Amino acid sequence: MSRRASAIKSLVFNSLSKLQPHARGGQSTEDTLPHSQENPDSPSTLVCAACRTGPFSYEGFRKAVFDFHDSDTGYCYTTTWHDISQSISNEGCNWCGLISRARDGLPAEKSPRAGEENVEIRVQVMVQSPVDWMDVTNTITVFLNGYKAATYKIYADPSDAAAKEIGTGNHIRKEKSYVDYDKAKECVKNCSDHDHCSKLDETYLPTRVIDCSDPSKPRLFETHRQIKGYYCTLSYVWGGEQHQKTTIANIDTYVREGINVPLPQTITDAIFATHKLGVRYLWVDALCIIQDSFEDKVKELANMGHVYRDSYLTISVLSAYRADEGFLPDERTSVMLPFHVAHRIKWSRSLGRMLLKYDIPRQDPSLGYKHQTVATHSPLDERGWCLQESILSPRRLVFQPPYVQYKCRSFSENLTPGQWEKETTYSQRDYILFPIAKDDSTSGGGVAEDELREQWEQILSSYTGCKITVPTDKLVALAGVAEVFQSISQDDYLAGLWRRTLLDDLLWDTFGPIGPDEVLPPRPMEYRAPTWSWASVGDVVINQHQKHMFEVPSTEYEAEIVACEVTPKSDIHPFGEVAEATLTVKAKIRPLMLDGHKCTFMERKGTRTGDEFQSLSLSGDWVAPVGNCLESGSSSVDRLGDEEQEDKRIGIRFDCLEGTAQDRPMDFYIIILRAGRRWGNEEGYRDEGWIRGLLVLRVEDGVEQYRRVAKLDLQYNFQWPDWFDTTPLKTVVLV
């Protein structure tokens, strides 16, 4: 074993069931004094009374020394988040503050649930014996409920008692930030030369921005949209209710005297980054929109698309699960905590101070980048609002410690220091949404409609796979993108659909979890869109209807769109929330059951085969009773009762839980939107009939009004339904 490996030891903390402030036999007087009697200069005052008798008592801190490969040991104790919060507020405990910040950085699935108070904390300190020719790296690691939440590098000032054991961390002090701001500014400067990027002209500032001239004293600045300049925007995950936001009560103070600090760490870091980038102003939704003013929110949300489109640069915080987490851990002041020096050190039983610097996992250049991985998270990619912000922003600086990347509409560059393959020029399709020519023409006349539709379909699929915290924001969080599409296509936006392609747009379907555990989402309690719009369902990915090349030449019947009326909740925000909407169509419509009776559907569960390493999942569906009109030909109905024919029954996938109730029969109808008896083109047809349409429920007491519950996509080989020709055309209303 090498000299260095044999010297590596670990200081760990032994198990306690709960922190309790009681004296321990053999402790020094300094360890057991109540907080009120502590020497104000003593390192023990850096932590609360409970921590001084627990993890920062001598016996607790120096309980055991063991081989560093044993990663399952450590000092464990159980406390509550309330006690931790109280220790921070009442005693200014640095350790409890560090635990709180570690919680803020937990992935969503590891974060404490609402009402969950108890937390098990395990701590490990790794100390490598110093060697003559180098200053080693020592660490302290925090585990919350068994999950590795954070690791900090520890070191001491040269004059401190702890320096002999953990070193002075000269190499740690010299570490550069993982962000190269000069390189980022150079990328922005060069952006105007790119083929599909606009010039860096000053634009009218948003209604309110944060003045970042002095990052320690940010101030809200009201522009009334009369002042031009450069500003950055922040794209981040709130992760819960914000404890700092602009309200009717505090806005005047924020403008006159400045914004109260401390702010959530992500906003604090964004102000610092904006200042480092040489930009004076920053736009942050929580502070630049009056959060308790309905009128201001409607007005500012309606302008959200322009806020991001006109920004100098968007700071995209890819890795933070909540606003309190931040994204510049290596720019913060080091945390200071007590350090009990071991007896074997010259200053036996001395109490020193250790400095903590957050350890951002990085690749080691000496080991080769291709053979190393760093675990990263991307919660920003899961949020619906943030998808729109990334699409609309002309330039972005994407933070995902230890990585940082610059992106614009023509170009991408990895700004992580020391990384290979930094520069990538790639062909983006942003020119479809943001056409730009060097003569400053912004006309979208040259964009093909099929390209535009394909782009919309891709965005819609991505967007509906994201999460929206407030259900009524389903259309609002995509309104800026919809406005861009509308300006290019000159088409009418109808609650998430488009007038020129409305018949195809009505044939959207859902894609959710598959297998035996799949569960349909409920219809949102609060109205946000008509049932014929994809925005009326949640938590599922929406797939737009892909018209096959043979569909048009094979079509012999098509429904007629008579009228479509959408009333927005606010005239200021026509692409946002919908108050009501109706769609009138003239189409073939008939009861689902051949005898006209009401019915219920039977669920056919999905399946999963294989093992944990390789498995195959099949989606479930719902089957109508025997005697429904979906089956091909009335003569086949009787055969479908046989058990061996059960798997041949036609099944459908409901949009949501509406229509799946088993306790009462419901009045189902089918509306046929498009159909053909053959499939092919002028060179040849096959006798394969097909029907595209909707399964709907008749509204009780409604005069020919119906609610969509599923898409129908039916295939008929050789047996065309005998009821099709006799089904009359009727004018009906979908709501």
Side-chain angles (χ1 to χ4, degrees):
M1 181 179 293
S2 68
R3 175 184 174 185
R4 182 180 178 188
S6 62
I8 295 177
K9 294 292 183 180
S10 186
L11 307 176
V12 296
F13 304 132
N14 222 14
S15 299
L16 290 178
S17 59
K18 189 170 183 178
L19 282 177
Q20 293 182 350
H22 60 274
R24 292 174 171 270
Q27 284 184 303
S28 65
T29 305
E30 185 179 46
D31 290 335
T32 59
L33 281 175
H35 193 269
S36 60
Q37 300 179 36
E38 289 283 355
N39 180 346
D41 295 327
S42 170
S44 60
T45 59
L46 297 169
V47 295
C48 62
C51 289
R52 289 198 301 277
T53 58
F56 290 95
S57 66
Y58 183 84
E59 281 76 5
F61 196 85
R62 308 295 314 202
K63 183 66 178 180
V65 175
F66 65 97
D67 187 270
F68 76 100
H69 289 102
D70 190 357
S71 61
D72 294 328
T73 61
Y75 177 85
C76 296
Y77 65 99
T78 300
T79 183
T80 67
W81 291 115
H82 176 266
D83 289 345
I84 289 172
S85 178
Q86 289 294 106
S87 292
I88 297 171
S89 301
N90 299 335
E91 301 183 60
C93 179
N94 286 357
W95 175 249
C96 290
L98 184 143
I99 295 297
S100 179
R101 286 193 292 276
R103 175 193 59 187
D104 292 336
L106 290 175
E109 66 273 12
K110 300 296 182 181
S111 187
R113 301 181 185 88
E116 184 179 344
E117 267 295 306
N118 290 340
V119 56
E120 181 190 81
I121 301 171
R122 181 162 64 94
V123 193
Q124 291 181 335
V125 175
M126 186 72 68
V127 174
Q128 304 180 57
S129 299
V131 292
D132 296 336
W133 63 90
M134 65 182 298
D135 196 0
V136 296
T137 299
N138 302 306
T139 60
I140 183 169
T141 302
V142 178
F143 296 82
L144 300 181
N145 293 327
Y147 181 81
K148 185 177 180 180
T151 297
Y152 292 83
K153 299 172 183 176
I154 59 175
Y155 54 98
D157 288 330
S159 61
D160 193 271
K164 280 289 185 180
E165 187 165 359
I166 59 175
T168 57
N170 292 331
H171 62 301
I172 298 173
R173 299 172 192 265
K174 294 176 182 178
E175 283 182 346
K176 294 182 179 180
S177 169
Y178 80 98
V179 186
D180 188 337
Y181 293 99
D182 290 334
K183 186 63 176 176
K185 287 190 282 188
E186 183 183 337
C187 287
V188 175
K189 181 181 177 181
N190 296 335
C191 188
S192 295
D193 297 331
H194 299 158
D195 292 339
H196 300 299
C197 293
S198 57
K199 290 184 177 180
L200 285 167
D201 294 327
E202 289 187 337
T203 58
Y204 282 104
L205 298 175
T207 306
R208 303 175 196 92
V209 286
I210 301 168
D211 189 337
C212 306
S213 300
D214 183 352
S216 65
K217 297 179 180 179
R219 184 172 66 88
L220 197 62
F221 178 53
E222 291 191 300
T223 72
H224 305 290
R225 297 192 176 277
Q226 300 299 312
I227 300 174
K228 281 190 173 184
Y230 295 113
Y231 65 94
C232 291
T233 45
L234 177 64
S235 180
Y236 68 115
V237 177
W238 277 34
E241 185 61 26
Q242 300 302 288
H243 57 81
Q244 273 279 55
K245 55 188 177 183
T246 297
T247 63
I248 296 172
N250 65 26
I251 185 171
D252 290 339
T253 301
Y254 283 8
V255 171
R256 291 194 317 268
E257 303 174 15
I259 302 170
N260 294 338
V261 293
L263 288 164
Q265 192 63 55
T266 294
I267 298 178
T268 299
D269 288 349
I271 291 172
F272 176 85
T274 299
H275 182 73
K276 291 283 285 185
L277 289 165
V279 182
R280 181 170 181 176
Y281 300 113
L282 171 69
W283 188 91
V284 179
D285 54 3
L287 295 173
C288 297
I289 300 175
I290 305 175
Q291 295 295 320
D292 59 351
S293 168
F294 175 78
E295 293 79 10
D296 193 69
K297 289 179 74 172
V298 169
K299 182 178 68 175
E300 293 303 317
L301 290 177
N303 198 52
M304 183 84 81
H306 292 282
V307 169
Y308 281 91
R309 287 178 65 184
D310 296 341
S311 67
Y312 174 83
L313 181 74
T314 292
I315 296 170
S316 294
V317 185
L318 187 61
S319 59
Y321 283 92
R322 50 198 61 82
D324 287 324
E325 182 177 350
F327 59 94
L328 298 175
D330 55 0
E331 299 283 6
R332 300 171 203 159
T333 303
S334 297
V335 178
M336 185 177 290
L337 288 170
F339 186 92
H340 290 275
V341 181
H343 287 184
R344 59 183 172 80
I345 306 299
K346 181 179 178 182
W347 297 292
S348 176
R349 204 63 177 260
S350 295
L351 183 63
R353 293 174 173 84
M354 60 177 170
L355 297 169
L356 282 70
K357 182 177 182 180
Y358 185 84
D359 181 29
I360 302 176
R362 306 173 194 246
Q363 293 173 314
D364 185 345
S366 65
L367 300 179
Y369 294 111
K370 293 184 178 180
H371 304 289
Q372 300 178 75
T373 58
V374 175
T376 56
H377 305 281
S378 307
L380 191 77
D381 287 341
E382 301 172 5
R383 309 304 304 181
W385 276 105
C386 301
L387 176 67
Q388 172 176 259
E389 293 159 8
S390 67
I391 292 171
L392 297 178
S393 300
R395 289 162 294 274
R396 291 192 297 147
L397 203 57
V398 183
F399 293 87
Q400 189 182 33
Y403 306 114
V404 59
Q405 191 172 35
Y406 173 81
K407 291 186 176 184
C408 64
R409 292 174 182 154
S410 308
F411 181 81
S412 173
E413 180 166 353
N414 185 355
L415 304 185
T416 307
Q419 290 285 289
W420 292 357
E421 300 176 357
K422 287 184 177 181
E423 197 171 295
T424 306
T425 302
Y426 53 97
S427 176
Q428 293 201 103
R429 296 174 61 83
D430 285 347
Y431 68 88
I432 296 175
L433 297 185
F434 308 100
I436 188 74
K438 290 310 171 185
D439 61 358
D440 292 333
S441 172
T442 56
S443 171
V447 179
E449 188 162 331
D450 58 344
E451 281 189 308
L452 196 62
R453 178 172 176 80
E454 182 182 352
Q455 185 83 333
W456 174 259
E457 291 170 354
Q458 292 174 357
I459 290 175
L460 184 60
S461 179
S462 298
Y463 173 73
T464 52
C466 294
K467 300 172 184 175
I468 297 290
T469 302
V470 180
T472 53
D473 283 349
K474 191 73 171 183
L475 287 170
V476 181
L478 194 64
V481 174
E483 185 179 1
V484 172
F485 271 90
Q486 192 275 335
S487 67
I488 298 173
S489 67
Q490 296 299 302
D491 198 359
D492 295 329
Y493 187 63
L494 305 169
L497 284 61
W498 299 96
R499 189 178 297 277
R500 284 206 297 266
T501 56
L502 189 52
L503 201 64
D504 286 317
D505 289 359
L506 289 170
L507 292 170
W508 55 266
D509 60 3
T510 63
F511 179 79
I514 61 175
D517 304 322
E518 62 183 289
V519 178
L520 291 173
R523 183 85 72 184
M525 296 292 293
E526 188 174 355
Y527 179 88
R528 68 186 187 195
T531 61
W532 44 266
S533 167
W534 54 262
S536 67
V537 297
D539 300 326
V540 288
V541 176
I542 300 299
N543 294 320
Q544 290 280 81
H545 174 61
Q546 301 287 332
K547 188 184 292 184
H548 193 276
M549 60 182 294
F550 289 164
E551 189 166 329
V552 173
S554 301
T555 298
E556 61 180 71
Y557 158 84
E558 191 168 81
E560 176 188 353
I561 303 293
V562 177
C564 185
E565 301 294 333
V566 178
T567 305
K569 274 193 175 182
S570 170
D571 292 335
I572 299 175
H573 200 187
F575 297 93
E577 288 190 66
V578 171
E580 62 177 346
T582 58
L583 172 64
T584 304
V585 297
K586 186 176 183 181
K588 286 179 175 287
I589 179 171
R590 61 152 295 122
L592 172 66
M593 301 304 293
L594 292 171
D595 59 10
H597 289 167
K598 298 180 180 181
C599 70
T600 59
F601 277 74
M602 178 189 71
E603 183 177 12
R604 189 160 53 187
K605 283 284 189 181
T607 61
R608 181 177 295 115
T609 57
D611 53 34
E612 58 181 316
F613 301 105
Q614 186 174 8
S615 63
L616 174 65
S617 296
L618 298 177
S619 180
D621 54 21
W622 295 77
V623 180
V626 172
N628 69 81
C629 68
L630 303 179
E631 312 295 353
S632 57
S634 58
S635 61
S636 66
V637 172
D638 295 336
R639 295 200 309 272
L640 294 173
D642 298 336
E643 184 174 345
E644 64 273 12
Q645 296 291 331
E646 190 66 28
D647 61 341
K648 296 184 179 180
R649 300 282 298 278
I650 292 179
I652 67 164
R653 181 180 176 86
F654 280 93
D655 299 335
C656 58
L657 285 174
E658 184 177 8
T660 64
Q662 302 290 297
D663 56 347
R664 59 184 179 87
M666 286 171 279
D667 202 6
F668 290 101
Y669 282 74
I670 64 168
I671 295 178
I672 304 173
L673 298 180
R674 189 178 288 143
R677 299 173 193 269
R678 297 180 298 173
W679 186 253
N681 56 18
E682 64 275 4
E683 296 178 0
Y685 287 89
R686 299 192 303 269
D687 290 328
E688 296 177 2
W690 54 276
I691 289 177
R692 312 269 191 267
L694 304 176
L695 180 68
V696 297
L697 278 172
R698 185 164 186 168
V699 177
E700 294 182 7
D701 302 324
V703 180
E704 298 296 343
Q705 287 194 343
Y706 300 85
R707 294 171 58 85
R708 168 182 163 147
V709 292
K711 171 193 173 182
L712 296 177
D713 194 346
L714 309 173
Q715 302 293 328
Y716 297 99
N717 295 330
F718 307 110
Q719 286 189 327
W720 186 248
D722 49 15
W723 49 261
F724 182 87
D725 293 327
T726 59
T727 299
L729 291 170
K730 295 180 66 176
T731 300
V732 297
V733 177
L734 292 169
V735 295

